[in-house]
Amino acid sequence: MGKIVIVPITRIEGHLKIECLVENGIIKEARSSGMLFRGFEIILRGRDPRDAQIITQRICGVCNVCHAMASTFNLDSAFGLADKIPDNGRIMRNLAAGLHVVQDHILHFYHLAALDYVDVTKVAKYEGSDADLNSIKAFIGRGELGPFVPRYEGDYRLPDDVDRAAVSHYVKALEIRRKGHEAVAMLTGRIPHTASIVPGGMAEVPTVDKIASILWRLNELRSFVDNVYLPDVLAVAGVYSDYFQIGAGCQNLLAYGAYDLEGKNPDYTRRQRLFQQGTISADLKLQPLDLSKITEEVRHSWYESNTSKLHPSTGKTVPADEKSGAYSWLKAPRYGGRVYEVGPLAQMVTTYASGNPKVKSLVDSTLAHFKATPAALFSVLGRHAARALAAKYVADAMGEWLLQLKPGEPTFVPYELPEEAQGVGIIDAARGALGHWIEIKEKKIANYQCVVPTTWNASPRDDSGTPGAIEQALTGTRVKDEANPFEIVRIVRAFDPCIACAVHLITPKGNELGRFRIY
């Protein structure tokens, strides 16, 4: 039995190590390891609670708006404000989060995942007049090939015309993402780390000029999603259709919901949201969300063993970097003791199962295009399709939200800092279910815990030895060429979890067989 070690997995967000034991070309066992200690929970202890939505945005340079939202929901809850946010504040928060997430989904497909399917080097032979393609051709001609190579070789199947269009869209996507960022900054004061998403609402006001400027940029994003992003995902899926049968994983999905459609219910698990809260499995029977079922287990994580199986509201972060049997800095979140996948697939499937007619139409028409059943959603391509459809669904909704803003009306409600309180804030971020929990004592943070999407998806084994979501998605996969393990990186990147470095192939005794720089 051989071992494939990829550390770190590149073109994902965060430092992730993947180890796979392979026998006769089949992955028999996989391990996912988070290689970076975060420690934000420790940094927050003893600070003013209002620092939380500023500091937690620094957890991630890509998901910053989502952390601002989860943290602010958390503080709203602790301060007794969750049902008092003015409609203007609620809608502006929805818009900031939605615009951020749409550009983030575009980032994931074009600048992180698509290079696993698109052969950019073909552009070196391009002889046409497309300015973007000639720009890439000139870039390649200068010998500056990163971030396109080095890479795995041998499985680029797109026809030349489809391939060239995707490369041109890679460049266009950079411009579209910039416009998404500009629209977010108009609402939040700055990007990437926002200044106006605050407890009580928004420290910004809507104006006619601002609404018009955001609407213009939103329409460009919507046009790109409808006319470029979705068609490109379908084109790639049509050529790589075998990836509808690869990477199914645990087939348990969990979603916190996102984008509040009303603000009078203080319970985030029951509040009406654009994306439905809940859990669901392969039978597509939606179950209500119960946050009390969440625990974090640490038997295989570098944390003290006596902190295992705690609910996040009482969770502890006590590093133990020399712990025997541990192999990750990620804890293992579990829901009712079971492994759950989070992300756009969970968002779309829970909302689909709730009977939402718009989402049912989007999902059913996509499945019909490929003559596929809902079972195909639990796959590498199912995750990519779900992400693109989620981008369209929220982008379309934002046009209506913008017109609901009322210039001159309040966006913020004042509050008093409580002496003691507890709170929780949950939202589906671009990469899935994101939860923040806080305990306040003597007007200071006594405890703060964040359970982030990649902790759910890339978790190590739990206390009972059950592999995490990505580990399960990898296990059983056939690897056609162990020197070019496309299957592994395509499965991992479909979860949207980092950065380029090196691949190591070693024998079970640890003898290195080869070393490759990859993308």
Side-chain angles (χ1 to χ4, degrees), residues 131-185:
D132 290 337
L133 290 176
N134 280 317
S135 173
I136 293 291
K137 181 180 179 179
F139 184 79
I140 295 173
R142 293 196 295 271
E144 299 169 355
L145 302 180
F148 308 126
V149 295
R151 61 182 188 173
Y152 291 135
E153 299 291 349
D155 191 30
Y156 295 100
R157 313 175 197 166
L158 294 178
D160 287 355
D161 58 332
V162 177
D163 198 278
R164 283 195 296 270
V167 175
S168 178
H169 298 159
Y170 176 103
V171 178
K172 181 67 175 176
L174 293 168
E175 178 188 349
I176 291 297
R177 285 180 52 212
R178 174 176 59 79
K179 292 181 177 178
H181 280 308
E182 289 173 351
V184 175

Side-chain angles (χ1 to χ4, degrees), residues 1 10 88-89 91 99 115 144 163 183 188 193 202 221-222 240 263 266 313 324 347 407 493 499 509:
M1 189 176 294
T10 60
N88 266 350
I91 295 167
L99 289 161
L115 296 179
E144 299 169 355
D163 198 278
T188 66
H193 300 116
M202 290 287 288
L221 263 73
R222 291 178 67 185
Y240 291 87
S313 62
S324 177
Q347 280 186 301
R493 289 185 181 124
I499 237 170
K509 293 182 179 180

Side-chain angles (χ1 to χ4, degrees), residues 12-13 23 70 94 113 136 205 210 242 271 282 295 314 391 404 417 430 473:
I12 62 172
E13 177 61 21
E23 185 176 51
N94 284 345
I136 293 291
V205 296
K210 193 172 295 180
D242 48 323
R271 177 175 286 183
T295 56
T314 57
Q404 294 170 3
L417 188 63

